[in-house]
Amino acid sequence: MLVIHTIADIRMRLRGVNGIALVPTMGNLHHGHLDLVRIARQRGQFVVVSIFVNPLQFGINEDFFKYPRTLDQDCKLLEGCGADLVFAPSESDMYPQPQQVKVALPPIANELCGTFRPGHFSGAATIVLKLFNIIQPEIAVFGKKDYQQYYLMRQMSEQLNLPVKIVGAETVRAPDGLALSSRNQYLKDEERTEAAFLYQMLTGVRQAILNGEKDLGWLQGQGLDALVSRGWRAEYVEIRSQGNLEKSRMEEKNLVILAAAWLGKTRLIDNLEVFLDGGSA
Amino acid sequence: MLVIHTIADIRMRLRGVNGIALVPTMGNLHHGHLDLVRIARQRGQFVVVSIFVNPLQFGINEDFFKYPRTLDQDCKLLEGCGADLVFAPSESDMYPQPQQVKVALPPIANELCGTFRPGHFSGAATIVLKLFNIIQPEIAVFGKKDYQQYYLMRQMSEQLNLPVKIVGAETVRAPDGLALSSRNQYLKDEERTEAAFLYQMLTGVRQAILNGEKDLGWLQGQGLDALVSRGWRAEYVEIRSQGNLEKSRMEEKNLVILAAAWLGKTRLIDNLEVFLDGGSA
């Protein structure tokens, strides 16, 4: 497995390589990431994993500086998973000048997580577009744990006519249901135990919908209250349409429940799809 | 020469084609465009000319509906100039949905023409990025007559790491100096005669700079006044740095004088580079 650190080197190495599947990450890899690599391996002929903690998608008071950077450990994990190449560029190579050309996204990018992280999705879309232009993959794999990001990447690919197929991967969870995330390691022991409640709340809301509850606004409020009553600082619990992430109307069959909440100093997000038409859950 | 009208068809036709040089146009071709095609022919192995009047770069009160559409005539001209393929897609193919993913540009996109045409450059950059993603050229040729656009396309290519070299072509002028433009045909006879004054004004300002005039603000005012006194509705006359289009400081050697002004109902733009270091003028 090759590890490449500069744009010039990777462009040279990938010249003439077809069927590239890209897994863009910020490193500090866990089993969720490795599942993305497995999917990339199945669908592409040459698997590139990018590892770059992207300052453009962090807010001014967010955890950019403390975000865990574990390149050596990440490379060891990737060796065993069928990655062909790791691209770990420096910040000065990716942003030699202040980034002033960016991807402007649809209004939905300012809802849900976008309400609380202004500019986050534009920053994420911009680095992904840069990586696409450098690596020129045919396929890129994103985790559905970051559901809004996954949606916006599909929108970007479609609306900019990118020659890249965006593939979504199901969320990988710990035995107690907590969605795997690099940020889970910020949690103190007792917080880690409580963290599983976010998933429990989502499954409860899903069950209520499946049981026929029609008042989605009320259900959202119930989910939010449940978190707050247990000491979480909840940002949102929203039931949206899978198709466009808009507020869902009752006639819609494919919903997604999305939530973001803080446990102590750690912000966690999660989501759960609901299929009312008998599709796969 | 092939003429292709859909994204699906051109993707299929260009699969495996290397060395593509693209000339993006809005059609109604004149000798300035043909010069871009000539440059593309010299530098690429396969020349694609796109013809698409892009609604996204027209303001609400601009000339989108009356902009001349002359595809048959354009194709005849291109046959003789070495174009290999004309891509003339429909609006519904390029914008099947309202375009909500766009290119956000540096602040300079809101100065000069951007002051008077809000959103214009973002719309132009967005269609060019879409065309790049569809056609995947190695080279794209832009006229320096649209100097700010040419600058912003280079910025976009650089900051988004596009694998496309942006090539600039010198402005082609009528014998009296008027820069060729599809919009020149809007001019009435007496306006067409007067139109050459825009270039004369620019050459006058350039001569003053070359003669040692240091007060660029005063010179700009002189240029503006000259237009206004002859009945033009002038938008701006600006002396900027070639390197970043910022307001130039006297120590800079490579300047560009840019102007936009209305003659009756027709908006004309033009520019002239000034090299104070003895470079080519």
Side-chain angles (χ1 to χ4, degrees), chain A residues 7 11 97-107 126 129-130 133-134 136 155-156 159-163, chain B residues 7 11 97-107 126 129-130 133-134 136 155-156 159-163:
Chain A
I7 295 172
R11 280 200 201 276
Q97 303 291 330
Q99 185 75 22
Q100 294 194 312
V101 179
K102 294 181 189 173
V103 179
L105 292 169
T126 301
L129 184 57
K130 285 164 69 82
N133 289 329
I134 293 164
Q136 298 177 51
Q155 281 293 105
M156 174 170 78
Q159 289 224 324
L160 294 182
N161 304 94
L162 293 172
Chain B
I7 295 172
R11 279 201 201 277
Q97 302 291 331
Q99 186 75 21
Q100 294 193 310
V101 179
K102 295 182 188 172
V103 179
L105 292 169
T126 301
L129 184 58
K130 284 164 69 81
N133 289 329
I134 293 165
Q136 297 178 51
Q155 282 293 106
M156 174 171 79
Q159 290 225 323
L160 294 182
N161 304 94
L162 294 172

Side-chain angles (χ1 to χ4, degrees), chain B residues 59 87 108 128 142:
Chain B
F87 180 49
I108 197 75
V128 166
F142 290 86

Side-chain angles (χ1 to χ4, degrees), chain A residues 2-17 20 22 46-51 84-89 93-94 130-137, chain B residues 161:
Chain A
L2 276 168
V3 182
I4 287 182
H5 293 280
T6 71
I7 295 172
D9 284 352
I10 195 170
R11 280 200 201 276
M12 202 179 309
R13 177 60 188 79
L14 293 181
R15 195 167 296 159
V17 176
I20 296 173
L22 171 66
F46 190 92
V47 174
V48 177
V49 178
S50 65
I51 296 183
D84 296 301
L85 191 157
V86 172
F87 180 49
D93 206 18
M94 291 306 286
K130 285 164 69 82
L131 289 167
F132 283 1
N133 289 329
I134 293 164
I135 294 164
Q136 298 177 51
Chain B
N161 304 94

